[in-house]
Amino acid sequence: MTIAYACILIMGLLPYVATGIAKKGFEGYDNSMPRQWLAKQDGFRARANAAQANLFESLPLFFAAVIIANIANAPQFRIDILAVGFVISRIAYLVCYVVNWPTTRSIVWLAGMVCTVSIFFQI
């Protein structure tokens, strides 16, 4: 498994970390209606839930970039470095979202997008 493929696995699981943060403590949690319960949350729970949605939204382009670059035999080292950069930026994004640092969150979001787009330029 390449480092970039490991990054795909990590990114596939990261949204569930955000979900766990959103549900931390399960205060009044209703497992029969989890989305409605999450929609009523505020503070860090609401932000973690929003981060979870955004993390899922970022996956298709990243997954496609890594897979297409590998199929096209792009330089593996570059794909790996950019994939790791994406993972680091998305972990930082989650942290920034939960602790409510909106400007920093936007900057690390952009860094992640630059990493993903740059993978395509390796082809």
Side-chain angles (χ1 to χ4, degrees), residues 9 11 15 22 45 64 75 78 82 97:
L9 176 60
M11 286 308 305
R45 290 179 198 281
R78 290 185 193 160
L82 291 166
Y97 221 134

Side-chain angles (χ1 to χ4, degrees), residues 19-20 22-39 41 45 49:
T19 300
K23 295 178 180 179
K24 182 180 178 290
F26 297 98
E27 296 167 18
Y29 180 71
D30 181 2
N31 196 41
S32 65
M33 310 257 300
R35 291 179 189 232
Q36 288 83 350
W37 179 83
L38 279 168
Q41 300 308 302
R45 290 179 198 281
N49 189 45

Side-chain angles (χ1 to χ4, degrees), residues 14-96:
L14 188 60
Y16 299 107
V17 172
T19 300
I21 294 168
K23 295 178 180 179
K24 182 180 178 290
F26 297 98
E27 296 167 18
Y29 180 71
D30 181 2
N31 196 41
S32 65
M33 310 257 300
R35 291 179 189 232
Q36 288 83 350
W37 179 83
L38 279 168
K40 295 175 188 173
Q41 300 308 302
D42 58 8
F44 82 90
R45 290 179 198 281
R47 291 190 303 274
N49 189 45
Q52 172 258 142
N54 189 275
L55 288 166
F56 273 124
E57 292 164 2
S58 71
L59 295 180
L61 187 62
F62 173 67
F63 288 0
V66 170
I67 293 166
I68 292 168
N70 273 287
I71 289 170
N73 292 318
Q76 190 62 53
F77 179 74
R78 290 185 193 160
I79 299 168
D80 290 344
I81 292 297
L82 291 166
V84 168
F86 180 78
V87 170
I88 291 168
S89 73
R90 299 310 280 173
I91 291 169
Y93 176 85
L94 174 57
V95 170
C96 290

